[in-house]
């Protein structure tokens, strides 16, 4: 994962967060999940308490609800 040695923190790249949000709002849930997976893979922070892992879980729930309808 990406890591800033000087500060001991994981970088926050708002582009990934924003892209996941845009896809989610457009109903493109799988694309939002894919973006979350990239963020998780690279150890990125998204500025929320649960990070990309929680965002992914939330979007997966929406995706399963749309398939159930």
């Amino acid at each position: 994962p990406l890591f800033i040695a000087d500060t001991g923190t994981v970088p926050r790249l708002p582009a990934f967060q924003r892209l996941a949000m845009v896809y989610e709002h457009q109903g493109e849930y799988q694309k939002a999940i894919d973006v979350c997976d990239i963020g998780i893979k690279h150890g990125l922070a998204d500025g929320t308490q649960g990070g990309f892992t929680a965002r992914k879980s939330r979007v997966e729930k929406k995706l399963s609800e749309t398939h159930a309808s």
Side-chain angles (χ1 to χ4, degrees), residues 43-63:
L44 301 177
D46 76 348
T48 62
Q49 186 174 4
F52 282 107
T53 303
R55 182 180 302 279
K56 179 181 175 182
S57 294
R58 187 174 60 250
V59 176
E60 286 175 330
K61 182 178 177 184
K62 287 183 178 182
L63 179 62

Side-chain angles (χ1 to χ4, degrees), residues 7-68:
T7 62
T9 62
V10 175
R12 181 172 177 263
L13 299 174
F16 282 88
Q17 176 187 10
R18 190 72 180 139
L19 185 57
M21 290 170 62
V22 167
Y23 282 144
E24 183 179 352
H25 289 293
Q26 290 177 343
E28 296 283 349
Y29 300 125
Q30 188 56 57
K31 289 181 181 180
I33 291 167
D34 294 342
V35 171
C36 290
D37 283 338
I38 293 169
I40 293 166
K41 176 182 174 188
H42 292 289
L44 301 177
D46 76 348
T48 62
Q49 186 174 4
F52 282 107
T53 303
R55 182 180 302 279
K56 179 181 175 182
S57 294
R58 187 174 60 250
V59 176
E60 286 175 330
K61 182 178 177 184
K62 287 183 178 182
L63 179 62
S64 68
E65 289 171 355
T66 49
H67 286 297

